[in-house]
Amino acid sequence: MKDKHIIEVLDNASIKSLSETQVNEIQAHARECVSCRDAYDAARLSAVVLQSRAHATIEPSPFFQTRVMAAWREQQAVENVPAIWRLWNSAKVLVSTMAVTTAALAVVSLMAPASTTPLLDQSLSAYSAESVIMGQSSDDQMSYEQVLSTIYEDDDDAR
Amino acid sequence: MRQAQDGEESAFAEIVRRYSPRVFSVASRFFRQRSLVEEAAQEVFLKAFTQLGSFEGRGSLEGWLTRIATNTCLNMVRGAKRRPEFTVSDLTEDEQSWLDHQPIDRSEQRSVENNLVATDLADRLLSVLSPEDQQALLMIDGEKASIKEVAEATGWSESKVKVRAFRARRKVREAMEKLLGHRSKDRASEQVTR
């Protein structure tokens, strides 16, 4: 041990679990080897802090048992509810929202034709081929008789 | 036990009363905050009640609960973020003073306050390890558990426990050595300035 570094020994087992002979050998070596002395000091302090940490336990509060049993009953209540009911419970918000949206769309689609069709007709007549070509609005369109008389009047004039 | 397996509530309550100190002790290894320890312990008992039918009674109920507790806590810790490696400048004044006085004062009698400082320091050192390595080291070096006991509590093989403990011990010792090295350098520079 005297010539051999002790670091392996320190890492192999807790310093608290070493026998007195082992500790004496380590200390003898540490007195002569600076790097092993640093390692030994560090291992010794690490063991002290780890023991302190291990003893820092939290005790259960007096209400802990009551709380666990309440959580257990709640869990049991959830598990005893039929699967279809649990599915409904989790999906009811989504289903309700979808139903309201569908109803709203249905109302809108029923109301829409009455208000949109006249507008469509107006826009069509406003841009009819006749009005665009002749440059006339629908108000001053010629009647059928007027068209005929205009044609035949021209023929009479020619004769 | 049979009553509990039959779903009798009073039997469950008795299990919680009898084994909660053990489950809390396991959870305290992982967490320092009471709320987290209680949350973990509650989860352990709820899991245990659900799986009670699968308990065949080969080992002790305490051993079975310890294993559930260890695995539950490990899963909780794995989900949490790991702290970055600390440096000597992160140490509080109390921690630095604790380190300063330890090599001189080798007595085992320490005040409660000193214990708290040592516990904080342990947490800092343990933060360099994985949750699994922390467990192995705390059980063996902190609680003086045997390799076999750790293997039973965690479900790992004995050689795996040995490897974890060796690796963890080395890392913690090196981290502590770094702190002590910085401390002696600081002392030297203080003396020079004086």
Side-chain angles (χ1 to χ4, degrees):
Chain A
M1 178 79 76
K2 228 176 181 181
D3 302 325
K4 196 178 153 193
H5 289 296
I6 50 148
I7 290 171
E8 281 290 302
V9 183
L10 295 174
D11 293 338
N12 260 328
S14 163
I15 206 155
K16 302 258 175 188
S17 69
L18 298 176
S19 68
E20 211 181 314
T21 324
Q22 280 176 307
V23 173
N24 287 339
E25 283 176 344
I26 287 171
Q27 283 175 343
H29 177 81
R31 273 194 289 272
E32 292 163 12
C33 176
V34 179
S35 64
C36 285
R37 188 171 57 224
D38 289 346
Y40 173 60
D41 277 345
R44 201 178 54 77
L45 282 182
S46 301
V48 172
V49 296
L50 286 174
Q51 274 202 332
S52 290
R53 177 64 186 87
H55 290 118
T57 52
I58 293 170
E59 297 295 322
S61 74
F63 310 106
F64 179 69
Q65 188 191 32
T66 316
R67 232 181 32 226
V68 173
M69 293 319 294
W72 169 244
R73 272 181 230 117
E74 202 175 305
Q75 191 174 303
Q76 287 294 100
V78 170
E79 280 170 10
N80 288 338
V81 170
I84 188 77
W85 182 248
R86 265 183 281 160
L87 187 69
W88 165 244
N89 272 338
S90 54
K92 67 182 170 191
V93 175
L94 180 69
V95 172
S96 313
T97 314
M98 283 169 68
V100 168
T101 313
T102 312
L105 284 171
V107 168
V108 168
S109 60
L110 283 173
M111 301 288 282
S115 56
T116 54
T117 313
L119 281 172
L120 198 66
D121 286 350
Q122 278 175 10
S123 63
L124 278 176
S125 61
Y127 295 99
S128 64
E130 189 182 315
S131 65
V132 171
I133 294 165
M134 308 286 286
Q136 289 172 327
S137 71
S138 57
D139 293 336
D140 47 37
Q141 273 184 0
M142 293 169 88
S143 68
Y144 183 66
E145 285 79 24
Q146 280 175 317
V147 172
L148 284 177
S149 62
T150 308
I151 294 167
Y152 290 116
E153 202 175 294
D154 289 347
D155 283 353
D156 290 343
D157 288 346
R159 275 179 211 154
Chain B
M1 183 60 211
R2 199 166 292 163
Q3 286 170 323
Q5 280 178 326
D6 290 342
E8 212 171 287
E9 205 179 295
S10 61
F12 286 148
E14 180 56 22
I15 289 175
V16 177
R17 191 192 64 75
R18 200 179 290 181
Y19 296 105
S20 51
R22 176 67 193 146
V23 173
F24 267 68
S25 152
V26 174
S28 298
R29 250 187 253 139
F30 293 85
F31 310 107
R32 291 278 300 278
Q33 275 176 285
R34 170 170 282 279
S35 58
L36 286 175
V37 172
E38 289 202 349
E39 188 190 324
Q42 179 171 310
E43 202 179 321
V44 170
F45 283 112
L46 294 181
K47 262 188 199 170
F49 294 160
T50 316
Q51 297 168 13
L52 210 55
S54 67
F55 177 64
E56 293 164 348
R58 281 184 199 156
S60 67
L61 184 61
E62 189 179 63
W64 186 68
L65 284 171
T66 302
R67 195 157 170 170
I68 294 178
T70 307
N71 288 326
T72 305
C73 293
L74 272 175
N75 283 337
M76 281 175 76
V77 171
R78 279 189 204 117
K81 265 188 179 175
R82 260 177 83 182
R83 282 183 289 178
E85 196 169 334
F86 69 96
T87 59
V88 73
S89 57
D90 296 332
L91 291 180
T92 62
E93 273 183 30
D94 286 343
E95 287 167 344
Q96 285 192 6
S97 140
W98 188 92
L99 280 174
D100 283 346
H101 291 97
Q102 279 308 300
I104 305 154
D105 175 22
R106 288 180 186 228
S107 66
E108 287 300 308
Q109 283 184 334
R110 293 185 303 273
S111 66
V112 176
E113 198 184 329
N114 270 351
N115 271 341
L116 281 176
V117 177
T119 307
D120 286 344
L121 199 52
D123 278 338
R124 287 176 181 275
L125 290 169
L126 288 168
S127 69
V128 302
L129 306 176
S130 69
E132 291 83 359
D133 288 0
Q134 284 182 28
Q135 271 320 283
L137 191 63
L138 270 179
M139 287 183 83
I140 296 168
D141 288 20
E143 296 172 15
K144 294 177 181 167
S146 67
I147 301 282
K148 194 180 173 191
E149 282 169 331
V150 180
E152 276 169 9
T154 53
W156 303 329
S157 67
E158 288 188 22
S159 54
K160 191 174 181 178
V161 174
K162 274 185 201 168
V163 169
R164 282 196 183 286
F166 177 85
R167 189 171 54 196
R169 207 174 283 124
R170 169 164 288 183
K171 274 189 184 174
V172 165
R173 180 183 54 73
E174 284 171 352
M176 179 63 95
E177 226 172 300
K178 219 186 271 180
L179 288 183
L180 293 174
H182 278 288
R183 187 204 53 179
S184 32
K185 270 182 205 164
D186 290 347
R187 266 185 187 170
S189 60
E190 266 175 35
Q191 279 174 351
V192 167
T193 49
R194 274 177 202 165

